[in-house]
Amino acid sequence: MRWLELYDVTDSHPRLFDSPETALRYLRVHERLAPDQQQHVLDTLEQQQRCELSPPVTRKSYVLKYRE
């Protein structure tokens, strides 16, 4: 299984997710990501294996990437 790590600039330990969908569910609830923003995250992850999110899209800065 490939894990996804979500790093928040205020936390030194990442949150782990078992799929892009579960990571998006977390971001959708905590950051209220719009559907077009969610699709951007999925597309970016697929192409680059990581995605950075920051204000004004989210309240905090995040890095979502596959665990190595």
Side-chain angles (χ1 to χ4, degrees), residues 2-51:
R2 265 182 100 189
W3 290 95
L4 280 159
E5 299 174 323
L6 179 65
Y7 287 91
D8 165 349
V9 294
T10 62
D11 190 6
S12 61
H13 299 290
R15 293 184 184 276
L16 295 177
F17 298 95
D18 61 355
S19 71
E21 291 76 23
T22 56
L24 278 178
R25 189 176 319 133
Y26 174 86
L27 290 168
R28 186 171 48 241
V29 169
H30 292 281
E31 293 293 337
R32 298 186 180 124
L33 286 185
D36 60 325
Q37 296 164 332
Q38 294 173 40
Q39 189 59 51
H40 171 74
V41 170
L42 288 174
D43 294 343
T44 304
L45 269 177
E46 185 177 321
Q47 295 169 3
Q48 301 174 11
Q49 304 299 299
R50 67 181 282 133
C51 181

